[in-house]
Amino acid sequence: MIYREETKRKIFSIGLSLILWTTFSCMPASAQRVLLDRIIALVDEGVILQSELDTRINDLQQAAARDNRPLPAEDEIRDDVLEALIMENIQLQMAEQVSIRYDDDTINRVLANMAENSNMSFDEYVTALENSGVYLQTREQVRQQMMIQELQRGMVNRRITITEQEIDNFLNSEMGREVMSPDFFIDHMVVTISGTDSNEIKQEKLRFAANLVAKVEDGSNFLEVRAEAGESSRYQIQSTDFGWRKAEQLPSLFSSIVIEMDEGEVAGPIEAGNGYHVIFLAGKRGGTEQIVKQTNIRHIMLSPNEIRNTEQTIAEIKELRERILAGEDFAVIARQHSDDATSVVAGGDLDWVNEGGMPPEFELVIQELEENVLSEPFESTTGWHIAEVLGRRETDLSQQYTRSQAANSLRNRKFDLELQNWMIEIREKAFVEFVD
């Protein structure tokens, strides 16, 4: 109760500074003054202004008018919008308390994506927002939305528990098998036949289709081969845009074939009632098969600091390399000199690292490095390195990957319900008072 009274007194003093008055210069000092804004709700340490409510309602009404959508009664709209503002206010205060913030560069990257989605350059998009008078407002809305989303991910995911039994049940269910199955993107063409075609014409069309397959197998681009076949006008060529689909969502004619194909492989001619089909597996994603290339690496990293500039860092890493080549133990030198806290205790050993699991500039050097050969010094974003590849292998991580994906799928299914429960809880705990 003491907390609430102190909060009310604090917010009341803030509120006095937010009651803005203006006096027209052409009127005497005793003329009527006009209220520009006022507090309509106290929310913990924050407030909600009448202008915020009016702006949000106006945006909602304009969007409904553009989309020709009906809206509920005005009182219902006001209550719903005010409640949404309260929930946003509560969550933004929580985000501030746990230091969730986004800098201007991050906001700019989001705006750049928004510009790209609108087929505009970043500068064009910013200019359009400025001309509409909503540039700063849009930046702040993006920032607040990102803060709320990050808060929700952190707070809600820690409330969700996925057991091993749940994962087993999911993987054994029909839904689980469907979710975990891969998606295929196939390019397609068919050399059509008709009921009036003679056996000789059908055989010619079959040979024509087989020749198209041979061209693709020899390295020609499938889409170019299809376009050339259509332009030749020798036979009618048709195609279907299937997009990304599960195998069972494809025509049964293709579903059993595509699951055996490798990405970049062509299959056909496949005979059907309407012609000779040719399919090309242009893409494959998802699925449970995960054969991963791994590299066993050890390295030493030196980073420039207050007592060692870049030139001195390069000279020192070169000296360490020469000492190792002269016979000194790599692990001992790594423990004594490396600035990489994650591997220094292990003598610089990073163990087996998955392909794609290293910084790009680091991985580029490792890919070109022969086994048991000490690299020349090279630079990454974290410092200067010397590295050695101790071995390479391919590892089947399918089981681990499958269970991880199943856990993610279950977590996503639980997230929305847990989010609603969490929001109810924080709303009940919050101090909210409406100001008449």
Side-chain angles (χ1 to χ4, degrees):
M1 187 65 183
I2 295 175
Y3 163 75
R4 292 191 174 184
E5 290 301 322
E6 289 177 350
T7 300
K8 288 171 69 175
R9 284 196 295 270
K10 184 188 300 183
I11 294 176
F12 179 73
S13 65
I14 295 171
L16 290 177
S17 65
L18 290 172
I19 304 295
L20 306 177
W21 301 85
T22 183
T23 304
F24 296 104
S25 58
C26 59
M27 295 182 180
S30 59
Q32 182 180 3
R33 292 173 293 181
V34 181
L35 179 66
L36 295 183
D37 211 345
R38 70 185 186 91
I39 294 173
I40 59 174
L42 312 178
V43 183
D44 286 334
E45 297 290 332
V47 298
I48 296 175
L49 302 177
Q50 181 70 53
S51 58
E52 295 179 83
L53 178 63
D54 293 342
T55 299
R56 189 67 63 88
I57 291 176
N58 184 59
D59 291 344
L60 186 63
Q61 290 172 335
Q62 288 183 354
R66 283 196 306 268
D67 300 337
N68 196 26
R69 290 185 287 106
L71 284 173
E74 188 171 333
D75 287 347
E76 186 177 344
I77 294 175
R78 183 187 183 281
D79 292 344
D80 290 345
V81 172
L82 181 55
E83 184 61 29
L85 287 171
I86 290 171
M87 291 304 303
E88 289 177 14
N89 201 298
I90 293 170
Q91 292 175 89
L92 287 171
Q93 290 184 56
M94 293 179 67
E96 288 285 352
Q97 291 167 5
V98 295
S99 300
I100 296 176
R101 298 182 182 89
Y102 290 94
D103 59 24
D104 288 338
D105 289 340
T106 303
I107 305 303
N108 287 340
R109 286 194 291 271
V110 175
L111 290 178
N113 291 335
M114 294 168 66
E116 185 177 350
N117 292 336
S118 300
N119 296 318
M120 302 169 71
S121 70
F122 177 78
D123 291 338
E124 289 172 341
Y125 190 68
V126 169
T127 300
L129 293 175
E130 288 176 336
N131 291 340
S132 300
V134 295
Y135 173 62
L136 294 179
Q137 177 186 340
T138 301
R139 288 186 69 89
E140 189 57 26
Q141 287 176 346
V142 169
R143 191 189 308 274
Q144 291 181 356
Q145 191 61 37
M146 292 175 65
M147 290 172 64
I148 289 173
Q149 289 175 349
E150 182 64 25
L151 176 75
Q152 290 177 350
R153 278 195 294 268
M155 293 297 186
V156 175
N157 277 327
R158 70 177 62 176
R159 296 161 59 102
I160 297 173
T161 301
I162 307 296
T163 67
E164 293 298 314
Q165 187 60 55
E166 285 180 292
I167 294 175
D168 291 337
N169 294 342
F170 178 76
L171 291 174
N172 291 327
S173 69
E174 183 176 347
M175 177 184 293
R177 287 191 292 270
E178 180 179 346
V179 169
M180 299 305 297
S181 64
D183 297 309
F184 301 95
F185 192 103
I186 65 169
D187 291 320
H188 165 261
M189 62 178 158
V190 56
V191 182
T192 62
I193 58 176
S194 67
T196 59
D197 288 345
S198 65
N199 288 335
E200 183 179 351
I201 292 176
K202 289 181 179 179
Q203 288 300 312
E204 290 179 0
K205 290 184 176 181
L206 176 60
R207 285 192 291 271
F208 182 73
N211 184 52
L212 298 178
V213 173
K215 287 183 178 179
V216 177
E217 288 178 335
D218 288 340
S220 297
N221 181 277
F222 181 92
L223 299 180
E224 293 177 0
V225 170
R226 184 175 70 185
E228 291 171 1
E231 291 169 1
S232 71
S233 301
R234 181 177 175 185
Y235 300 116
Q236 184 180 14
I237 305 294
Q238 295 180 350
S239 63
T240 301
D241 182 10
F242 291 105
W244 286 100
R245 296 194 185 186
K246 304 285 187 185
E248 60 269 19
Q249 295 171 334
L250 292 166
S252 57
L253 188 67
F254 308 144
S255 58
S256 60
I257 297 174
V258 74
I259 59 176
E260 302 295 334
M261 295 175 66
D262 294 324
E263 190 170 338
E265 186 178 354
V266 65
I270 305 166
E271 185 175 359
N274 64 336
Y276 302 105
H277 297 257
V278 179
I279 59 174
F280 177 80
L281 184 55
K284 180 180 178 180
R285 65 187 184 190
T288 58
E289 183 179 347
Q290 289 291 312
I291 307 299
V292 179
K293 293 181 179 179
Q294 295 182 317
T295 308
N296 190 357
I297 312 160
R298 61 179 179 179
H299 83 131
I300 296 171
M301 181 185 78
L302 298 182
S303 300
N305 52 40
E306 294 83 358
I307 60 174
R308 182 179 62 210
N309 61 29
T310 300
E311 290 74 17
Q312 292 169 329
T313 300
I314 296 172
E316 185 171 344
I317 198 77
K318 287 181 177 179
E319 180 187 344
L320 296 181
R321 181 176 184 274
E322 293 302 321
R323 288 170 57 185
I324 293 170
L325 291 176
E328 291 192 47
D329 187 85
F330 187 109
V332 172
I333 291 180
R335 291 190 187 99
Q336 293 173 346
H337 297 278
S338 183
D339 292 332
D340 180 16
T342 61
S343 66
V344 64
V345 175
D349 193 348
L350 295 172
D351 205 358
W352 291 96
V353 181
N354 292 346
E355 185 177 45
M358 297 171 274
E361 65 277 9
F362 192 98
E363 186 154 14
L364 188 63
V365 174
I366 296 301
Q367 287 175 344
E368 301 296 326
L369 193 60
E370 295 182 10
E371 290 186 30
N372 302 312
V373 174
L374 188 61
S375 75
E376 295 288 340
F378 63 94
E379 186 181 16
S380 77
T381 55
T382 55
W384 283 84
H385 308 257
I386 50 176
E388 182 180 2
V389 173
L390 302 178
R392 289 187 169 92
R393 70 185 185 188
E394 289 189 348
T395 304
D396 187 352
L397 299 179
S398 300
Q399 184 175 2
Q400 296 95 310
Y401 177 82
T402 298
R403 297 189 71 82
S404 174
Q405 290 298 98
N408 289 339
S409 182
L410 288 168
R411 183 172 288 104
N412 291 337
R413 290 169 61 189
K414 289 184 176 184
F415 186 90
D416 289 341
L417 177 60
E418 198 59 44
L419 173 62
Q420 294 304 314
N421 292 337
W422 174 74
M423 293 182 72
I424 291 171
E425 290 179 16
I426 64 173
R427 177 65 173 87
E428 291 176 345
K429 292 177 181 177
F431 167 61
V432 178
E433 183 172 330
F434 300 102
V435 180
D436 295 330

